[in-house]
Amino acid sequence: MTHAEPQQAEARPAVKLTLLTLTTMVVGSMVGAGVFSLPRRFAQETGVAGALIA
């Protein structure tokens, strides 16, 4: 049998995000939230008929 040395985890450098990347993440999350909240709000205001037309 051979003696195996314990493997050390390689240290990965921290990933830095640019301002453009952070901005697109915020905009994307806002648009994504709107996709789910807007139909609910629209249905509350217009009722079934408005939801069917939309």
Side-chain angles (χ1 to χ4, degrees):
M1 282 192 183
T2 61
H3 177 53
E5 293 183 23
Q7 295 179 353
Q8 294 180 352
E10 294 181 22
R12 294 182 181 170
V15 177
K16 304 230 183 225
L17 299 176
T18 64
L19 181 60
L20 179 63
T21 303
L22 293 172
T23 302
T24 56
M25 288 175 66
V26 169
V27 170
S29 65
M30 292 174 71
V31 169
V35 167
F36 294 107
S37 65
L38 184 62
R40 179 175 51 94
R41 176 72 180 190
F42 187 74
Q44 287 175 346
E45 296 295 327
T46 62
V48 176
L52 291 175
I53 292 171

